[in-house]
Each structure stands twice: as C-alpha cells, then as structure tokens.
Amino acid sequence: GSYNEVGFMYTSDYYDPSQPTEEEDSQKETAEPETSAHYEEPFVAPAGLRVPPDVELPATVKTHAIIERTANFVCKQGTQFEIMLKAKQSNNSQFDFLRFDHYLNPYYKYLLKVMKEGRYTPFAEKPEEKSKPPSDDDDEE
C-alpha cells in the first residue's frame, strides 16, 4: 500500500479558544458589562453534565469556558487540531489542561467524550429562548 499526504495549513485565522469567537463578540456587544465578573465566579457543573466523582472540576467559569470551547472545536475539527493547538499554546498556562499530566486533563477528555456522543451541548451553541427570530420589518426604516 501507499500513503497519501493530507494537506494541513496553519493559517493566521486559526482558532484561539481563549479569545471570543465572532459570534460571541457580537453577543457581547449587546450583553451587560457585568459578564467579565461572571467569568471569575466558581464553576458548578450544569445539571445535565454528570461528571464522574474522580474527575476534578475547573475552579472558575472562565477556565470551564476555555476547556468547553476547546473540546467543542476538537470535537468538530479532529485530533489534528488538538495537536496543533497543544503546540501553538505550549507556553500558555490557560491550555495546560491539554497536557496528559495536568489535573484538568481528565475533565477536558470527559467533555470531549460526551460532546462526541451528543450527550452534552456547549453553552455557546444552545439556542437562546429569549431571542425571537428576526422579522423582515426590521430591515426597512
């Protein structure tokens, strides 16, 4: 058998889970300024997320958000993305959970597993009940 090369480009628009996505940026503009304080709150696992008792949880909402967003992207992009991210963020302590010996790695792996199985939907992807579908009337003013 022969091996075929798979092209993989490291582009400048690569994803950095510590930065908000474009979608989150647009939501942030309409959000209240108190949201940054929310990130420093202690993290409590949502009711639908049944984390095994031997898996340590992140201390803050911000740390969980980074892990959740990273797991979500790796779930969609594949293991190659995780490898690239681990290399690019090797000096960034916010991504230490990607190391196998880090205490939050089992939590990251657990989130990745339940996302792949479709048993957990990241907070950023849940449809908001408050928002109503845009009507055509808004465009004409």
Side-chain angles (χ1 to χ4, degrees):
S2 64
Y3 294 98
N4 294 324
E5 280 188 38
V6 177
F8 190 82
M9 283 185 22
Y10 295 103
T11 59
S12 60
D13 63 339
Y14 99 99
Y15 165 72
D16 180 353
S18 66
Q19 300 300 315
T21 61
E22 287 177 18
E23 185 178 297
E24 289 167 331
D25 261 344
S26 64
Q27 290 172 0
K28 192 189 293 180
E29 289 166 11
T30 59
E32 296 163 20
E34 299 163 14
T35 52
S36 61
H38 165 71
Y39 271 137
E40 299 308 318
E41 287 178 14
F43 173 69
V44 178
L49 186 64
R50 293 185 178 87
V51 182
D54 60 329
V55 174
E56 198 165 338
L57 296 176
T60 64
V61 171
K62 179 180 180 181
T63 304
H64 163 74
I66 292 171
I67 295 172
E68 178 185 69
R69 214 178 297 160
T70 302
N72 189 26
F73 264 83
V74 171
C75 186
K76 291 176 179 174
Q77 304 293 327
T79 311
Q80 185 70 38
F81 178 79
E82 181 182 332
I83 294 165
M84 187 245 341
L85 191 63
K86 204 183 287 190
K88 283 200 170 214
Q89 300 292 347
S90 62
N91 294 325
N92 186 341
S93 64
Q94 289 184 313
F95 293 94
D96 284 350
F97 66 86
L98 291 171
R99 293 193 338 254
F100 297 114
D101 60 344
H102 192 268
Y103 77 99
L104 286 175
N105 185 264
Y107 179 72
Y108 162 69
K109 293 291 186 193
Y110 174 75
L111 272 187
L112 192 58
K113 178 178 179 260
V114 294
M115 283 180 188
K116 283 182 179 174
E117 293 170 355
R119 293 191 291 135
Y120 178 71
T121 305
F123 180 73
E125 292 197 352
K126 288 185 182 166
E128 289 188 35
E129 289 130 31
K130 294 176 195 168
S131 64
K132 58 179 182 179
S135 64
D136 295 334
D137 302 339
D138 295 348
D139 296 332
E140 301 164 23
E141 285 192 35

